[in-house]
Amino acid sequence: MDFFLDLLVGGLTKGSIYALIALGYTMVYGIIAVINFAHGEIYMISAFTALIFGSILSSVGLAGWGLLFAVIAVSALYAAMYGWTVEKIAYKPLRGSSRLAPLISAIGMSLFLQNFVLLAQTPNYLPFPALVPDVPFPAILTRHASDTQIVIILVTAASMALLTLFIKKTRMGTAMRAVSQDLEMARLSGVDTDKIISFTFITGSVLAAVGGVLIGCGMRQIDFYIGFLAGMKAFTAAVLGGIGSVPGAVIGALILGFAESFAAGYISSSYEDVVAFAFLILILIFKPDGVMGAATTHKV
Amino acid sequence: MPKFFAVLAALCISVLSSGALEAQEETLKIGFGGALQGNLATYGRSNLFGIEYAVNLINAKGGLLGKQVELVKEDDSCDPSLATSAANKLKSAGLTLILGHTCSGATRSALSVYANSAIVISSSATENSLTFDGLNPYFFRTTPYDSTQSKLQTDLILRLGSKKVAILHDKSDYGKSLADFTAAYIRELPGKPVEIVLEEGVTTNQVSYDSVISAVKNSEADTLVWGGYYSDGSKIAISLREKGVTARLIGADGLRDNQFILLAGPAAEGVFATGQMDFSASEEARAAIADHRSRHKDEMGTYFFYAIAAAQSLFAAVEKTGNATDLNAIKKHLNEDTVDTIMGPVRYDQNGDIIGAFFKVYRVQNGEYVEYGETAAPALPEAAAAPAP
Amino acid sequence: MPEKDGKDPTGAPLRRPREKGRGKKILLSILRPLKAGLWLSLVAFPLVTFKFEAETRQAHFLPERIPLLLLICFGAAVAFDGLGWLKKAFGPGKRAGGILESPPEGLNRPRLSWVNRLLKSRFFKPASGVLLIFLAVLPFISSPYGVNVYITALIYITLGLGLNIVVGVSGLLNLGYVAFYAVGAYTYAILNAQFGLSFWVCLPLGALSATLLGFILGLPLLRVSGDYLAIVTLGFGEITRLVLTNIAITNGPRGIANIPPPSLFGFDLNQSVKPFLLKLGLIHSRTDLDKVLIYLIILMAAILTVAAVHRLENSRLGRAWLALREDETACQAVGVNRAGAKLTAFTLGSTWAGLAGVVFASQISFINPQSFTFMQSVMILSIVVLGGMGSIPGVVCGAVILILLPEYLRFFADYRMLLFGLLMVVMMVFRPEGLIKSARYQHIYRAPKAGEGDPSDSASGK
């Protein structure tokens, strides 16, 4: 039972990180039907920004929770700037062209950003400071989860709640939902679609930045390549949940996290990814539009 | 068809550039192949620093065979297919003396390109079969082969009195070899005093290692052997500590890098790693270190002295042969003559492996790797002092 | 119409306000790149001017990087702005891929792109003959390094054309194509290591096993479509790689070494034939005949692939694939066997990957799962999209560019992959349809003239 709970928490942590990144994929896809391949790199860049600003801010005297949230805020700001810029350079000029053209320019962008960080910073691994302060969590929690794991899960849950509120309650959120349902129609009813698309990229990037900082705290080291695998897994999670659906991305991410964690624990970590992907394929065969995806009907 | 034009254009460029390469040689060109980019560039650069030092040294003394030595560098990023193209480039340039490559996989694919057309000395490719399979008579290396370390690790496990061992590897060529050798040595132990409770590959660059660490915890292992590099090794060390797992961590030279201590921080304390002997005490070595510090900001890395020794032994053999093209004569000198290098007196056995015991067990103490010898205090690391109930 | 004579309805000349507008326009066109440059500098600022040092665990400020940062950012902004202007001038809007059927008079006739014009010109046949001879001679006059690069380019042409059937023609986004490539390569490596089978036996066997796997994996794919299909194929690709890493017969991550090059009638080319050719003065002493043979084999395979794919595209099956790409539901509605078309596209596409895999194994002589990562699938997909989806000359061009570009960018050393990524973005923005847009066949409805029969007979062309 102890082992089971350990794995459950492990899966929840993994799923939380995947969810933060997967939301960026799913929101962008929901609006312009483009797989934003460069999204994983935004996550990587926020981890680097967090590292740099963590060092600067702690040298001016910030510490504890203040430091953690200041670092999250600054890297979210920069991630938003990167997300916005990437959209303007690599996607906006391609709007209206074939479905795959933006995919390739996104891959190019991803290569570019990876190598940009490699050249500007370092090809080596960098140690990430323990930004999460010591908290006297109740013993019932710390029996199966480390402090960092608890913080990762809590921050993720809070981000999800904020995002849901934002999408459901604000004007901008309503506009985003409108655009994702029908871009043309939303434009006709007076929504500035360009602005909404930019804003979607910004929202996705901010969430990825939260993920980037948390993963830095969790793994305690980063390098220029961390965005690739995390991005791929998160994208998988987004599709698994039904791409375009916000709750779907979270559910997909959690399913993937649990599948990997339990496979590593009960089968073999050598086959962890095999099990995760096999699970994914099985789900999609029986539910071809993802877990939460609406079954689409085609009209010709 | 446009293909033809594109290929034509490509050909023009390549013909022009290969023409430029044909310029009359006034220097003796020696090739270097290894990782200068990518995530394993630290290792490649460490090799290159050593080789460049040896080259500068011999050039200052008047060069080799009366000519100045010139290093031709090709990056392979430790990728087998890039290594093929790097090796092809060096071979095309007509080089018969190669120092490299960095990683085992890349070295193997490069060797099949050189196809016995060059003397190749690597100072960091450690996989057994590179020399054991007897397919590359002109290949030599200054690092001991992989299973040397597995043997040492097994001895250490016995010495520490471990009963249950978990073995993890990073699914890389290097890591899996190490893990498999150690597992094999442990299984061969007479009386089976040690039980292997977990033996798995770990997906690297993951967002979390918690699940696999939970599996280690669940297996109740008192020792975890890590076959892999420091990057994931440090994540595992941190994860072990955060999850409160008391198993001691044993790694190999991929872990015995100061980068590991830097990345793992306090979690590195008490970790064991087998690795190269420390050569930095001698007069010659201190001069090399001082020279390196004056030129580069980066650390000289693990393979610095191996690379210097590789270059030194090659230069000595070529000088004795009197030319750089009689591969058989150079090979004979490498096998038979003992040469004084920065690592001490060195020669190679018939397989091409260096003769001498250059591996030791180290342990992190107060943020530094310290040799863990017979004489060292037998106390177990704090974390392992109270074994799991 | 008052504008015609340059006066507005009140009779006042329009010159002044128009000039004012122009001034503002020029000012804007200067300000725009400046603004963009400033923004880019701001975005890149922290990562460029602060460097985190692992040893001290501190970020260090590097003011000396600021001028370079500004130079590159403003340079890039101006260049991108310039590209935007170029795109407006020469971009797709003005050029159509063209149609191959001549439309009836009175209709605007879209211009064919120069490539498609070239393909139809009467110089095409003799010119391609000359170039074919040139290509056959090429390996004998290039350096071994050059030959190696050309082999790689030709392998990717074959792979690109194979994937083109799946993605370009049939519109099934396949992100796990590399799995079939791996199966081909491993088929040769394993059969050779275990049973000593030769290259020539393994070439068809490799293609066959990839085809078989394509068929088996294609079956569950019938259930999913669109991006779900993409992710399922990605999953298959990863599973294949992981299985190759974990099972014993592939020797795990250590891979399989010493895969022999193909032999010609049992001769060892470099040992027995080379001295003879050298004596005749036909080849350079550095020429590696094994590699030359591989080059010639893959050249033949590539030409064969071009021919086969061309024939396939214009077959009944090819038209079914096109219909599938345009609209799955509609294609089913008009009686195309959707499942059959999908399965054949997926299966036949895999065949070429298997073929290329066998040649790759013999070229590199050492394979391990690291050679078959997701990034490889992405590379092959980039070839298809960048070259021009569905266009054979486009895919060939895309492969040549994407393989040769990094080789020639080696000059830029560390900046190589950075530039490569940037060029991919620029090429896509500049030509979103790919370098060479595929020529579309069009059905043209000709209005029946008076006295002619049933109008449905006069739909011309295919």
Side-chain angles (χ1 to χ4, degrees), chain B residues 195-230:
Chain B
E195 185 194 351
I196 297 176
V197 287
L198 189 74
E199 198 183 348
E200 279 178 7
V202 175
T203 311
T204 54
N205 282 317
Q206 286 199 70
V207 297
S208 149
Y209 288 70
D210 295 328
S211 324
V212 76
I213 297 304
S214 298
V216 172
K217 188 178 177 185
N218 190 51
S219 74
E220 293 176 351
D222 54 26
T223 300
L224 170 61
V225 177
W226 169 243
Y229 298 100
Y230 62 81

Side-chain angles (χ1 to χ4, degrees), chain B residues 66-229:
Chain B
K67 289 178 191 167
Q68 289 285 297
V69 174
E70 185 193 337
L71 211 54
V72 183
K73 291 169 262 187
E74 280 302 328
D75 169 51
D76 67 14
S77 301
C78 275
D79 175 343
S81 52
L82 284 180
T84 311
S85 99
N88 264 306
K89 250 188 158 171
L90 293 172
K91 192 183 178 187
S92 301
L95 302 184
T96 55
L97 306 173
I98 309 287
L99 292 165
H101 292 216
T102 308
C103 297
S104 300
T107 305
R108 185 168 23 218
S109 68
L111 280 176
S112 62
V113 172
Y114 298 128
N116 300 335
S117 70
I119 294 275
V120 183
I121 306 187
S122 170
S123 37
S124 59
T126 55
E127 199 188 291
N128 275 26
S129 64
L130 283 173
T131 51
F132 283 22
D133 64 9
L135 291 170
N136 303 295
Y138 301 117
F139 175 67
F140 299 87
R141 59 178 158 200
T142 48
T143 43
Y145 45 86
D146 286 335
S147 64
T148 329
Q149 298 195 71
S150 295
K151 183 86 187 63
L152 259 177
Q153 287 180 340
T154 313
D155 290 345
L156 179 68
I157 288 167
L158 276 180
R159 212 161 89 199
L160 294 170
S162 300
K163 293 279 171 282
K164 289 178 169 182
V165 176
I167 300 179
L168 297 180
H169 61 82
D170 63 359
K171 296 191 199 170
S172 75
D173 198 344
Y174 162 81
K176 187 161 193 295
S177 302
L178 271 170
D180 288 355
F181 282 124
T182 308
Y185 277 122
I186 290 178
R187 290 206 176 93
E188 279 168 13
L189 287 175
K192 311 232 177 279
V194 182
E195 185 194 351
I196 297 176
V197 287
L198 189 74
E199 198 183 348
E200 279 178 7
V202 175
T203 311
T204 54
N205 282 317
Q206 286 199 70
V207 297
S208 149
Y209 288 70
D210 295 328
S211 324
V212 76
I213 297 304
S214 298
V216 172
K217 188 178 177 185
N218 190 51
S219 74
E220 293 176 351
D222 54 26
T223 300
L224 170 61
V225 177
W226 169 243
Y229 298 100

Side-chain angles (χ1 to χ4, degrees), chain C residues 87-340:
Chain C
K87 184 180 154 85
K88 250 182 233 157
F90 301 104
K94 300 223 163 178
R95 281 182 180 199
I99 51 171
L100 289 178
E101 206 57 49
S102 47
E105 282 176 38
L107 281 177
N108 281 331
R109 184 180 175 175
R111 274 200 307 141
L112 286 168
S113 73
W114 63 270
V115 184
N116 293 326
R117 277 207 306 271
L118 187 78
L119 289 179
K120 291 206 84 177
S121 87
R122 64 199 160 93
F123 298 112
F124 174 65
K125 272 188 181 161
S128 60
V130 171
L131 279 164
L132 210 62
I133 295 170
F134 170 74
L135 278 179
V137 177
L138 183 64
F140 296 99
I141 54 175
S142 341
S143 66
Y145 168 70
V147 175
N148 213 41
V149 174
Y150 302 145
I151 294 175
T152 309
L154 285 165
I155 288 179
Y156 277 89
I157 288 176
T158 315
L159 285 170
L161 286 169
L163 186 62
N164 184 40
I165 296 180
V166 188
V167 178
V169 181
S170 321
L172 308 168
L173 181 49
N174 184 347
L175 289 178
Y177 195 59
V178 77
F180 307 111
Y181 185 40
V183 165
Y186 269 99
T187 304
Y188 178 38
I190 292 172
L191 289 182
N192 182 274
Q194 306 281 329
F195 308 106
L197 293 187
S198 81
F199 175 85
W200 297 106
V201 181
C202 291
L203 194 64
L205 283 181
L208 196 72
S209 51
T211 313
L212 211 65
L213 185 77
F215 180 76
I216 295 168
L217 296 191
L219 285 172
L221 286 184
L222 295 174
R223 297 258 318 153
V224 287
S225 59
D227 290 295
Y228 297 97
L229 191 136
I231 202 76
V232 171
T233 51
L234 185 152
F236 279 141
E238 284 299 292
I239 289 178
T240 309
R241 187 177 61 82
L242 290 164
V243 167
L244 290 176
T245 313
N246 284 322
I247 60 178
I249 196 165
T250 60
N251 205 11
R254 257 162 283 172
I256 299 175
N258 302 312
I259 305 165
S263 65
L264 202 57
F265 311 115
F267 285 112
D268 183 337
L269 293 173
N270 278 330
Q271 294 290 322
S272 51
V273 184
K274 193 174 168 181
F276 177 68
L277 288 177
L278 264 179
K279 221 173 265 172
L280 291 177
L282 284 174
I283 54 169
H284 196 273
S285 63
R286 276 190 216 144
T287 307
D288 183 342
L289 280 184
D290 284 336
K291 285 286 154 66
V292 171
L293 181 63
I294 296 175
Y295 171 91
L296 292 174
I297 291 168
I298 188 68
L299 178 66
M300 296 277 281
I303 292 170
L304 210 83
T305 313
V306 169
V309 173
H310 180 70
R311 300 290 297 174
L312 271 174
E313 256 183 28
N314 294 312
S315 68
R316 187 186 159 80
L317 189 60
R319 290 197 300 278
W321 289 341
L322 277 176
L324 192 69
R325 176 180 76 185
E326 296 307 324
D327 195 313
E328 268 193 38
T329 319
C331 111
Q332 201 170 14
V334 295
V336 173
N337 177 359
R338 187 183 66 111

Side-chain angles (χ1 to χ4, degrees), chain A residues 204-276:
Chain A
S205 304
V206 166
L207 290 168
V210 176
V213 180
L214 290 180
I215 200 67
C217 299
M219 299 305 299
R220 305 289 303 283
Q221 80 179 63
I222 55 171
D223 69 306
F224 72 93
Y225 203 60
I226 55 169
F228 177 74
L229 192 72
M232 194 173 91
K233 287 284 177 63
F235 169 54
T236 308
V239 179
L240 180 60
I243 193 151
S245 149
V246 170
V250 180
I251 291 173
L254 290 178
I255 292 178
L256 194 66
F258 286 133
E260 284 184 9
S261 185
F262 286 118
Y266 289 120
I267 302 170
S268 158
S269 66
S270 309
Y271 285 97
E272 158 186 343
D273 283 355
V274 176
V275 173

